[in-house]
């Protein structure tokens, strides 16, 4: 399936939403604005021409969203006293505009920290995501030394820093994007926007490679269907005040309900095919506020796809 962002008129979006559902796609998120509706949708590859034609008919804008359905950890080694640096906040917001869900992780590895190493809790938290973006400073040697912060990280890592460097100079990461180091201003200039586009492209490439790996051994059920069934069968999720109570990952979801209280409820969700959630997914307690992390089992483990 391919993710897109739909932006169209307030009174015509229902037609597009119905079409997405008719072709077997999913609406991942919908925001109703004063004049427009913006939706993040996931549609089958074979039906992309049909969806594109409908968008043109409705005079809507349809753009690819390579980061949709993924959760990215935005990691900054230095935690400021009152607020994270503008760089981290602006980039995290930019990734959200491209469809990703982001979580800010400040490591407080600034002045006075002689050992630049992650704690077990920080490693676990970063590994709950689909990819991690590490934001570094303006000195090559400092960036090379901070590769110690990559130890035990299992998800793909993209690094952004000030100097222009080759990815091979930063061992342990899948991509390096230069031109964005420490700067105490908002990222609004044209060249800065271009560098943020480069970050989106780098993360998008990494996520596409992960999707290709999943295609070789398909998930037993799609993450959007997991989300739909949770919203339908667990009414308490509607009472969650956290943004995106069910946040999709490439191979699962973060469910923003207390693990101890709701793990059995989630595992006993039943699909129309008669299959229970416990047969196609495993649960773990998130390092983030004790939420639920759900991981979908591959076909090689269950023997089927629903």
């Amino acid at each position: 399936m391919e993710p897109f962002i739909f932006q169209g008129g307030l009174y015509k979006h229902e037609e597009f939403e119905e079409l997405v559902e008719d072709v077997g796609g999913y609406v991942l998120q919908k925001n109703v604005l004063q004049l427009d509706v913006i939706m993040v949708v996931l549609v089958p590859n074979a039906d992309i021409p049909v969806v594109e034609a409908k968008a043109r008919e409705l005079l809507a804008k349809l753009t690819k969203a390579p980061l949709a359905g993924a959760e990215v950890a935005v990691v900054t080694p230095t935690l400021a006293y009152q607020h994270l640096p503008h760089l981290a906040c602006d980039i995290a917001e930019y990734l959200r505009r491209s469809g990703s869900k982001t979580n800010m992780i400040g490591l407080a590895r600034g002045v006075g920290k002689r050992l630049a190493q992650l704690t077990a809790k920080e490693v676990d938290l970063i590994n709950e995501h689909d990819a991690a973006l590490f934001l570094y400073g303006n000195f090559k040697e400092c960036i090379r030394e901070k590769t110690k912060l990559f130890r035990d990280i299992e998800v793909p890592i993209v690094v952004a820093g000030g100097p222009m460097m080759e990815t091979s100079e930063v061992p342990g990461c899948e991509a390096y994007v230069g031109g964005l180091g420490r700067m105490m201003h908002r990222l609004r200039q044209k060249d800065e926007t271009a560098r943020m586009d480069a970050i989106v492209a780098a993360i998008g490439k990494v996520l596409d490679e992960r999707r290709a790996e999943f295609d070789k051994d398909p998930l037993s059920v799609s993450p959007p269907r997991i989300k739909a069934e949770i919203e339908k069968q667990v009414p308490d999720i509607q009472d969650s005040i956290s943004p995106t109570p069910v946040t999709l990952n490439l191979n699962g979801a973060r469910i923003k309900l207390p693990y101890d209280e709701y793990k059995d409820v989630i595992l006993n969700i039943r699909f129309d095919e008669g299959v229970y959630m416990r047969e196609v997914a495993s649960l773990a307690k998130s390092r983030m506020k004790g939420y639920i992390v759900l991981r979908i089992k591959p076909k090689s483990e269950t023997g089927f796809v629903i």
Side-chain angles (χ1 to χ4, degrees):
M1 286 193 170
E2 192 78 27
F4 291 88
I5 295 178
F6 167 92
Q7 183 173 0
L10 186 60
Y11 301 106
K12 293 184 178 180
H13 72 277
E14 292 91 347
E15 295 180 36
F16 186 81
E17 194 170 349
E18 289 171 2
L19 174 64
V20 169
E21 294 174 354
D22 286 344
V23 300
Y26 296 90
V27 177
L28 304 183
Q29 185 178 349
K30 182 167 95 173
N31 295 322
V32 180
L33 307 179
Q34 187 173 3
L35 297 176
D36 286 342
V37 170
I38 299 176
M39 287 188 287
V40 180
V41 300
L42 196 66
V43 298
N45 291 332
D47 293 308
I48 289 175
V50 177
V51 172
E52 290 175 331
K54 189 64 176 180
R56 288 193 296 269
E57 176 189 327
L58 298 175
L59 302 180
K61 181 180 179 182
L62 192 67
T63 55
K64 282 195 174 185
L67 308 191
E71 191 177 27
V72 178
V74 177
V75 184
T76 178
T78 302
L79 184 63
Y81 283 111
Q82 296 178 331
H83 200 262
L84 290 174
H86 289 310
L87 174 78
C89 298
D90 284 348
I91 290 177
E93 174 61 26
Y94 207 80
L95 296 181
R96 287 193 286 271
R97 293 180 189 177
S98 300
S100 173
K101 301 302 175 189
T102 59
N103 290 309
M104 307 282 288
I105 301 177
L107 299 179
R109 297 298 192 276
V111 176
K113 292 287 183 179
R114 295 177 64 89
L115 295 177
Q117 296 179 348
L118 294 175
T119 66
K121 180 178 180 180
E122 290 164 343
V123 168
D124 290 345
L125 182 56
I126 294 171
N127 281 336
E128 290 181 11
H129 296 75
D130 292 303
L133 173 65
F134 281 71
L135 302 176
Y136 286 157
N138 299 321
F139 302 99
K140 288 186 177 182
E141 188 60 30
C142 181
I143 292 173
R144 293 191 189 102
E145 282 296 312
K146 285 183 178 177
T147 56
K148 296 175 183 177
L149 294 175
F150 299 167
R151 291 174 182 170
D152 300 321
I153 301 300
E154 299 170 359
V155 300
I157 295 171
V158 174
V159 177
M164 304 305 290
M165 302 168 62
E166 297 295 328
T167 298
S168 59
E169 297 181 70
V170 189
C173 72
E174 274 65 32
Y176 175 83
V177 179
L180 287 173
R182 292 284 175 189
M183 51 187 73
M184 298 309 295
H185 64 264
R186 306 305 300 269
L187 303 182
R188 295 291 185 268
Q189 298 178 21
K190 185 176 180 180
D191 61 327
E192 293 166 349
T193 301
R195 302 316 298 159
M196 289 194 286
D197 286 335
I199 289 176
V200 170
I203 296 177
K205 183 175 183 293
V206 164
L207 295 179
D208 282 343
E209 290 171 353
R210 294 202 73 196
R211 292 185 181 104
E213 288 297 318
F214 292 139
D215 286 342
K216 296 176 184 176
D217 187 8
L219 299 176
S220 298
V221 61
S222 70
R225 188 172 180 192
I226 290 279
K227 178 177 183 289
E229 292 298 331
I230 291 172
E231 291 172 342
K232 182 169 66 176
Q233 298 189 41
V234 187
D236 288 357
I237 197 68
Q238 308 299 334
D239 296 328
S240 173
I241 60 174
S242 299
T244 58
V246 182
T247 300
L248 292 185
N249 296 143
L250 295 185
N251 64 335
R254 186 188 304 279
I255 306 163
K256 296 178 180 177
L257 291 172
Y259 174 85
D260 294 331
E261 185 177 349
Y262 286 93
K263 62 178 180 178
D264 292 332
V265 175
I266 300 297
L267 289 173
N268 287 319
I269 287 176
R270 187 176 186 273
F271 296 91
D272 292 339
E273 292 85 351
V275 175
Y276 287 88
M277 185 73 78
R278 59 178 177 269
E279 299 176 66
V280 297
S282 60
L283 303 185
K285 190 173 186 177
S286 172
R287 287 287 196 169
M288 186 185 299
K289 300 182 180 180
Y291 291 145
I292 299 170
V293 173
L294 182 149
R295 289 291 177 256
I296 302 170
K297 300 175 184 178
K299 181 182 178 181
S300 61
E301 186 173 338
T302 64
F304 59 85
V305 173
I306 60 172

